[in-house]
Amino acid sequence: MENRRNIGRMKRKLMFGVTLMMALVILLLVRLAVIMLVESEYYGQRAKELHERERPIKAARGRIISEDGTVLASNKTVCTISVVHAQITDPERVIELGMDREKVSKSVNKVSSMERIKTNVTKEVGDAIREYGLDGVKVDEDSRRYYPFGNLASKVIGFTGSDNQGIIGLEVRYEEELAGKAGQILTMTDAGGIELKEEGESRIEPVNGDDLIISLDYNIQTYAQQAAYKAYEAKQAKRVSIIVMNPQDGKIYAMVNVPEYNLNAPYTLTEEYSYMTVTEKNDNGEDVTRTISKDELTNEQKMDLLNTMWRNFCINDTYEPGSTFKMITATAALEKGVVSLNDSFYCKGSLTIGGRTIRCHKTAGHGSQTFAETLMNSCNPAFITWGSRVGAEDFFAYMKKLGLLGRTGVDLPGEAGTIIHKLENVGEVELATMSFGQSFQITPLQLLRAASAIINGGTLITPHFAVRTVNEAGETTKVFEYETVENAVSKETGGLMKQLLEKVVSEGGGKRCYIEGYRIGGKTATSQKLPRGSGKYIASFIGFAPADDPQVIAMCIIDEPQGIYYGGTIAAPVIREVFENILPYLGIEQEVVEFSNE
Ligand SMILES: [Zn+2]
């Protein structure tokens, strides 16, 4: 009995031992399989790392500099601190470098070829660490993009990503010129990670990016941005844009889109974009609007807001220009010879066309007007008449000649194009509304280019920023050239238009842009936003000086102003303020005012 019991116990012990061994073997096999199948790449990589160490040398990104010499986008040196385990002789002192002690300690004790312990350290701290001369500690310098003026021209300049690559604006448009080419250092090490000095190191030098010189003028941009913010606040507007350009060659001196954002923190939503209003259906199927605060936004919603915050409304969006477009209609009518300065038009406050009554903004009517006065008064019925004399086909042909059916070719990404009826669908009513700038959409920059062609002697220019690139040695490496098309408008018509538009400012709807001693031309507009009847408006003004020989053209667009919303009342003074500052700066002298005896 005793024996049989012992045998039974031994059997059970044996069985237990065999089972345990089998389990262990299976575990080992599984682990081996994982190593072979899954981790082999990792171990292979590590084995190689132990023999060859490759460190990239980043190329310095070229700067963006205004033609007046102001650096608008620059680089700041930052350091990355790394430790090489095998080379550390005094681990305690390395750990005491004073950064995140726990993290550093872990990195120091980790057997690996190289561990980064801190990035984005200032150059001062990096230099100080290098001074200690600790074995196994490496300080690598790197450069990060830095914008000295924060939000100045943010929607033009754009910004770069984590690898210093351009993401938006001029930064991405001129990536090729600015980026340069990275170099590398290749060092050989033994299996313990010690650099093999006798093998030497091979080094491929980086090629730094070129500096980009742009036409944007620091002072003009600053003046324009200040004027835009002033109007933005005074009118509690949704946004305010200003473009200042040379109408002769298309050099853009300023492009403002207020509110701007901080280029040094482009992923931080500014106050204006820190919430979102959404319309949702409630349980009864009714639309309910709800405001979502910054903290409740989903990632997708935050990205939508960022994209809106980054938008450049001068080129990324289209709008109905309204009455500033009357300068195009007047030009077309003069070019075709269907009106003369002696023509007169009687406005009784409205005009019925194609069975539809279109009212003049002066409901009592303008009465009898000369052609010049119809432009000064911005009389809708008169312009419907001038437009119908041109006819739909030629109306489109003149729009095309003035570049209004295509993109301007400005050197910024994401330029929007014209939204317009197909010519075959344009009836009397469509042509009538187009004649005073409605029922089609263009970008502000498209209109400014067309206006430039009218006043510069007939040349359709390409609005642009990039002027040239310069290498580290200060040599010009590239001069940018832009397409121009001659004879978009005859000199005769252009000359007449300059006179007529000067009268708009000296005596007509644009008189709030008048500056004593200066000859200024211009046109106002007040457009109703779509859908019509929403009570939302866009007030705008285009002005140029000197009226007889224009050296500068500027445009102001106030989107959704509160209270008074007329372009002549609120947008024209913004351009006057800009001109008062920049005309003397551009060397445009006040002319001697001649007093007549009358
Ligand atoms: Zn009228």
Side-chain angles (χ1 to χ4, degrees), residues 33 36 60 71 98 110 128 224 265 302 350 383 393 417 460 519 577 587:
M36 283 168 67
V71 178
K110 196 170 168 189
K302 190 187 173 190
S350 66
F383 272 82
E393 204 168 312
L460 192 63
R519 298 185 63 179
E577 198 180 329

Side-chain angles (χ1 to χ4, degrees), residues 347 360 362 365-366 369 379-381:
C347 166
C360 188
K362 188 174 181 181
H366 285 107
Q369 311 156 88
C379 176
N380 284 351

Side-chain angles (χ1 to χ4, degrees), residues 135-157:
D135 292 335
V137 176
K138 296 227 177 278
V139 179
D140 283 316
E141 285 187 3
D142 196 355
S143 91
R144 270 186 79 192
R145 209 55 162 164
Y146 174 67
Y147 303 93
F149 302 101
N151 73 359
L152 191 80
S154 62
K155 306 193 184 188
V156 172
I157 296 168

